[in-house]
Amino acid sequence: MNPSNTWNQVDQYIKKQLIPYDPILEEALANNHNAELPPYDVTPSQGKLLQLFIQMQGAKRVLEIGTLGGYSTIWMARALPSDGRIVTIEVDPHHAEVARTNLSLAQIDHKVELRVGDALDQLTRMDEEQAAPFDLIFIDADKPNNPHYLKWALRFSRPGTVIIGDNVVRDGEVANENNEDPRVIGVREFFDRLAEEPRITATAIQTVGSKGYDGFVIGIVR
Ligand SMILES: C[S@@+](CC[C@H](N)C(=O)[O-])C[C@H]1O[C@@H](n2cnc3c(N)ncnc32)[C@H](O)[C@@H]1O
């Protein structure tokens, strides 16, 4: 059997068993599709994992870099306490517009600050605004900038902040030092920075599922 068929079937099985049907999340995905957004949202099981991380961490302040249509934002916002807040950054105004519709549909827009613009510009502005540290930071935007996002994530951290970086395995190409794809080079530099950074202890987990073979980094700030 084609392994990706098995991964897909198991993802469907996990979803059926552990992730009850949710019309709002399904409608958000349909809105993304109808608005021709790329299908780069996390899977339901990954969305639930983000939710569990937020609950395990007792997070109240979350930073997300890369909103797309807000699918992962909805998962995370729902795990926050009533006074919790997510700042999410999206460069593409069309993606941000669809995200606003979805966040409103999910009735969590009061918990979300959606900042539209290039993430490096927005992070610089947040620094000028003296943004408070975050409890959990989810890096899920343009991979070539991952090393810069790590620097900013540390800037907006406190001891105990959890930092997650998605799509760091890239069909296994992360281990190919000859790959010239800027996204692969970006995640390899991300690993280099993590390896030499004394302020964070991290690991990476390979994943398979309905979106193929990839993985994520998870670390905690010392
Ligand atoms: C992988 S998608 C995010 C998926 C989303 N977190 C989810 O799971 O539902 C990456 C998003 O990052 C945005 N992006 C790419 N480069 C960016 C940048 N420089 N600044 C901010 N957002 C960026 C893209 O437009 C895209 O919407």
Side-chain angles (χ1 to χ4, degrees):
M1 186 185 264
N2 179 343
S4 63
N5 285 345
T6 311
W7 304 340
N8 198 22
Q9 282 170 11
V10 174
D11 242 2
Q12 295 305 322
Y13 175 77
I14 292 169
K15 186 178 172 197
K16 179 167 73 71
Q17 291 289 63
L18 302 178
I19 306 173
Y21 174 76
D22 186 316
I24 304 252
L25 286 168
E26 296 299 329
E27 193 173 335
L29 288 180
N31 288 343
N32 291 357
H33 178 75
N34 293 338
E36 299 184 355
L37 267 53
Y40 298 156
D41 347 68
V42 294
T43 63
S45 52
Q46 290 165 346
K48 182 117 185 225
L49 184 66
L50 288 171
Q51 207 168 63
L52 292 169
F53 285 147
I54 286 179
Q55 287 166 338
M56 286 188 257
Q57 170 73 338
K60 280 192 170 185
R61 279 180 56 78
V62 173
L63 171 64
E64 176 179 56
I65 306 175
T67 317
L68 191 63
Y71 182 75
S72 52
T73 322
I74 296 173
W75 273 108
M76 292 191 287
R78 283 175 166 181
L80 291 175
S82 56
D83 58 344
R85 199 158 173 80
I86 296 191
V87 177
T88 183
I89 307 176
E90 174 55 54
V91 73
D92 187 315
H94 176 54
H95 295 184
E97 188 190 329
V98 178
R100 274 195 211 290
T101 303
N102 287 333
L103 299 174
S104 161
L105 174 75
Q107 300 186 333
I108 43 98
D109 33 356
H110 59 289
K111 285 186 183 173
V112 182
E113 181 188 351
L114 172 55
R115 301 182 70 120
V116 185
D118 177 70
L120 294 177
D121 290 344
Q122 291 298 321
L123 291 161
T124 304
R125 278 195 209 174
M126 284 167 56
D127 196 30
E128 289 162 2
E129 293 161 13
Q130 301 185 318
F134 292 89
D135 305 312
L136 184 142
I137 300 174
F138 180 44
I139 301 172
D140 192 22
D142 49 331
K143 308 312 166 194
N145 271 322
N146 263 21
H148 301 297
Y149 296 147
L150 178 62
K151 187 194 79 175
W152 278 109
L154 287 163
R155 175 77 187 84
F156 290 121
S157 289
R158 47 129 179 118
T161 293
V162 169
I163 298 176
I164 300 165
D166 203 8
N167 310 120
V168 298
V169 171
R170 314 207 67 82
D171 270 317
E173 284 304 303
V174 68
N176 178 2
E177 63 185 18
N178 298 316
N179 190 308
E180 292 178 356
D181 181 331
R183 294 166 298 184
V184 173
I185 292 170
V187 293
R188 285 178 60 85
E189 285 179 10
F190 183 54
F191 273 97
D192 289 344
R193 297 290 89 77
L194 284 165
E196 68 192 16
E197 175 54 68
R199 287 173 290 173
I200 184 166
T201 176
T203 189
I205 298 295
Q206 303 183 65
T207 57
V208 293
S210 56
K211 300 259 167 114
Y213 170 37
D214 213 324
F216 64 92
V217 153
I218 182 162
I220 188 162
V221 176
R222 294 182 204 271

